[in-house]
Amino acid sequence: MEQTVGEELAQRLARKLQAKPGHHPNGGFGYVHRDYCGDTVFFQDGRFSIAPLEVDGYPPREGTAYISFDSEASFVEWLAAQGDATLTGEHEGPLKKSGTMIGNQTLSIDRIRDYVEEAGLYAPRQ
């Protein structure tokens, strides 16, 4: 059975995103470098969203989110049930990708954990 994000990690991510609203680099997270930068997750205007970053790491354009949630509870419930195959775009769903875009700078359990651990909000892996 595939490992999922789990409720605890999803909840900690939601709290961190709410504490730092907006887009990367001030809020949310994602890669910022030249050219394609993959996906980001962020909290802004009361909504949690997963969206593609623009070229060179610029914030997503309005209306480009793959999926958004109006409440913390719905975001946590959805994210907690997701595994890497969904987050990387391999499986059907709102994050589905094709070809070389699968796993290309996408979300993953490890990236979420690393982002949350950065502020000491998630217990170290054992």
Side-chain angles (χ1 to χ4, degrees):
M1 178 173 225
E2 181 183 27
Q3 178 186 4
T4 61
V5 172
E7 187 174 347
E8 181 184 7
L9 182 56
Q11 183 66 59
R12 291 179 186 269
L13 175 61
R15 288 183 189 145
K16 184 166 182 181
L17 293 173
Q18 287 173 312
K20 294 176 68 176
H23 303 290
H24 189 70
N26 299 322
F29 74 92
Y31 294 115
V32 177
H33 54 72
R34 201 183 82 149
D35 300 326
Y36 178 75
C37 292
D39 296 341
T40 183
V41 59
F42 60 96
F43 178 77
Q44 185 170 7
D45 300 327
R47 295 178 63 83
F48 293 90
S49 298
I50 301 174
L53 284 161
E54 288 298 303
V55 172
D56 300 337
Y58 283 97
R61 285 176 291 151
E62 187 74 28
T64 61
Y66 302 124
I67 190 168
S68 292
F69 303 89
D70 291 327
S71 73
E72 178 181 330
S74 62
F75 173 69
V76 168
E77 179 181 8
W78 180 84
L79 184 60
Q82 306 311 307
D84 280 337
T86 300
L87 296 173
T88 61
E90 182 180 344
H91 285 179
E92 290 299 322
L95 308 181
K96 176 71 175 150
K97 297 184 176 25
S98 61
T100 60
M101 301 312 283
I102 296 171
N104 185 349
Q105 303 175 79
T106 57
L107 300 179
S108 70
I109 295 170
D110 283 342
R111 280 191 70 199
I112 293 168
R113 185 178 289 119
D114 288 347
Y115 175 73
V116 172
E117 283 179 352
E118 181 179 89
L121 298 174
Y122 189 76
R125 288 176 268 188
Q126 298 180 12

mmCIF file of all heavy atoms in Angstrom, residues 5 37 41 55 57 68 87 93 103 112 114 121-123:
data_model
loop_
_atom_site.group_PDB
_atom_site.id
_atom_site.type_symbol
_atom_site.label_atom_id
_atom_site.label_comp_id
_atom_site.label_asym_id
_atom_site.label_seq_id
_atom_site.Cartn_x
_atom_site.Cartn_y
_atom_site.Cartn_z
ATOM 1 N N VAL A 5 0.362 11.200 2.652
ATOM 2 C CA VAL A 5 0.826 12.355 3.422
ATOM 3 C C VAL A 5 0.435 12.202 4.887
ATOM 4 O O VAL A 5 1.237 12.476 5.783
ATOM 5 C CB VAL A 5 0.257 13.667 2.831
ATOM 6 C CG1 VAL A 5 0.568 14.854 3.733
ATOM 7 C CG2 VAL A 5 0.798 13.894 1.422
ATOM 8 N N CYS A 37 9.663 25.833 -13.247
ATOM 9 C CA CYS A 37 9.868 25.657 -11.803
ATOM 10 C C CYS A 37 8.867 24.719 -11.143
ATOM 11 O O CYS A 37 8.869 24.577 -9.923
ATOM 12 C CB CYS A 37 9.845 27.019 -11.107
ATOM 13 S SG CYS A 37 11.250 28.042 -11.537
ATOM 14 N N VAL A 41 2.380 25.061 -3.594
ATOM 15 C CA VAL A 41 1.188 25.015 -2.755
ATOM 16 C C VAL A 41 1.250 26.254 -1.874
ATOM 17 O O VAL A 41 2.316 26.623 -1.390
ATOM 18 C CB VAL A 41 1.101 23.702 -1.934
ATOM 19 C CG1 VAL A 41 2.286 23.517 -1.025
ATOM 20 C CG2 VAL A 41 -0.192 23.632 -1.141
ATOM 21 N N VAL A 55 7.187 30.696 -15.263
ATOM 22 C CA VAL A 55 8.596 30.591 -15.639
ATOM 23 C C VAL A 55 9.433 31.439 -14.678
ATOM 24 O O VAL A 55 9.015 32.521 -14.257
ATOM 25 C CB VAL A 55 8.791 31.035 -17.106
ATOM 26 C CG1 VAL A 55 10.259 31.125 -17.466
ATOM 27 C CG2 VAL A 55 8.067 30.065 -18.028
ATOM 28 N N GLY A 57 10.028 30.967 -11.641
ATOM 29 C CA GLY A 57 9.545 30.951 -10.267
ATOM 30 C C GLY A 57 8.569 32.046 -9.900
ATOM 31 O O GLY A 57 8.264 32.238 -8.727
ATOM 32 N N SER A 68 -8.146 23.905 -5.554
ATOM 33 C CA SER A 68 -8.187 24.869 -4.449
ATOM 34 C C SER A 68 -9.207 24.412 -3.420
ATOM 35 O O SER A 68 -10.158 23.691 -3.749
ATOM 36 C CB SER A 68 -8.580 26.258 -4.952
ATOM 37 O OG SER A 68 -7.572 26.792 -5.767
ATOM 38 N N LEU A 87 0.664 13.126 -6.112
ATOM 39 C CA LEU A 87 1.308 14.439 -5.999
ATOM 40 C C LEU A 87 2.269 14.718 -7.149
ATOM 41 O O LEU A 87 2.410 15.860 -7.580
ATOM 42 C CB LEU A 87 2.051 14.548 -4.663
ATOM 43 C CG LEU A 87 1.180 14.493 -3.413
ATOM 44 C CD1 LEU A 87 2.048 14.443 -2.164
ATOM 45 C CD2 LEU A 87 0.225 15.683 -3.370
ATOM 46 N N GLY A 93 -6.249 12.509 -11.683
ATOM 47 C CA GLY A 93 -6.690 13.457 -10.678
ATOM 48 C C GLY A 93 -6.300 14.860 -11.089
ATOM 49 O O GLY A 93 -5.770 15.075 -12.185
ATOM 50 N N GLY A 103 6.552 14.043 -12.094
ATOM 51 C CA GLY A 103 7.636 14.105 -11.121
ATOM 52 C C GLY A 103 8.632 15.225 -11.344
ATOM 53 O O GLY A 103 9.628 15.327 -10.632
ATOM 54 N N ILE A 112 7.136 18.122 1.080
ATOM 55 C CA ILE A 112 6.241 18.693 2.089
ATOM 56 C C ILE A 112 6.882 18.572 3.464
ATOM 57 O O ILE A 112 6.936 19.536 4.225
ATOM 58 C CB ILE A 112 4.856 18.015 2.053
ATOM 59 C CG1 ILE A 112 4.142 18.352 0.740
ATOM 60 C CG2 ILE A 112 4.018 18.424 3.265
ATOM 61 C CD1 ILE A 112 2.907 17.518 0.477
ATOM 62 N N ASP A 114 10.061 18.249 4.235
ATOM 63 C CA ASP A 114 11.222 19.138 4.325
ATOM 64 C C ASP A 114 10.808 20.583 4.563
ATOM 65 O O ASP A 114 11.416 21.293 5.362
ATOM 66 C CB ASP A 114 12.074 19.049 3.064
ATOM 67 C CG ASP A 114 12.837 17.735 2.946
ATOM 68 O OD1 ASP A 114 12.916 16.991 3.951
ATOM 69 O OD2 ASP A 114 13.336 17.456 1.847
ATOM 70 N N LEU A 121 8.261 22.226 12.670
ATOM 71 C CA LEU A 121 6.864 21.931 12.938
ATOM 72 C C LEU A 121 6.520 20.451 12.806
ATOM 73 O O LEU A 121 5.435 20.028 13.143
ATOM 74 C CB LEU A 121 5.951 22.726 11.990
ATOM 75 C CG LEU A 121 6.068 24.240 12.123
ATOM 76 C CD1 LEU A 121 5.254 24.917 11.048
ATOM 77 C CD2 LEU A 121 5.607 24.695 13.498
ATOM 78 N N TYR A 122 7.444 19.651 12.304
ATOM 79 C CA TYR A 122 7.174 18.240 12.114
ATOM 80 C C TYR A 122 8.265 17.440 12.794
ATOM 81 O O TYR A 122 9.444 17.737 12.626
ATOM 82 C CB TYR A 122 7.107 17.898 10.621
ATOM 83 C CG TYR A 122 6.616 16.512 10.344
ATOM 84 C CD1 TYR A 122 5.270 16.211 10.454
ATOM 85 C CD2 TYR A 122 7.482 15.500 9.985
ATOM 86 C CE1 TYR A 122 4.806 14.935 10.197
ATOM 87 C CE2 TYR A 122 7.029 14.228 9.733
ATOM 88 C CZ TYR A 122 5.698 13.949 9.845
ATOM 89 O OH TYR A 122 5.233 12.691 9.598
ATOM 90 N N ALA A 123 7.893 16.471 13.554
ATOM 91 C CA ALA A 123 8.882 15.651 14.268
ATOM 92 C C ALA A 123 9.817 14.982 13.273
ATOM 93 O O ALA A 123 9.392 14.552 12.205
ATOM 94 C CB ALA A 123 8.159 14.610 15.122
#
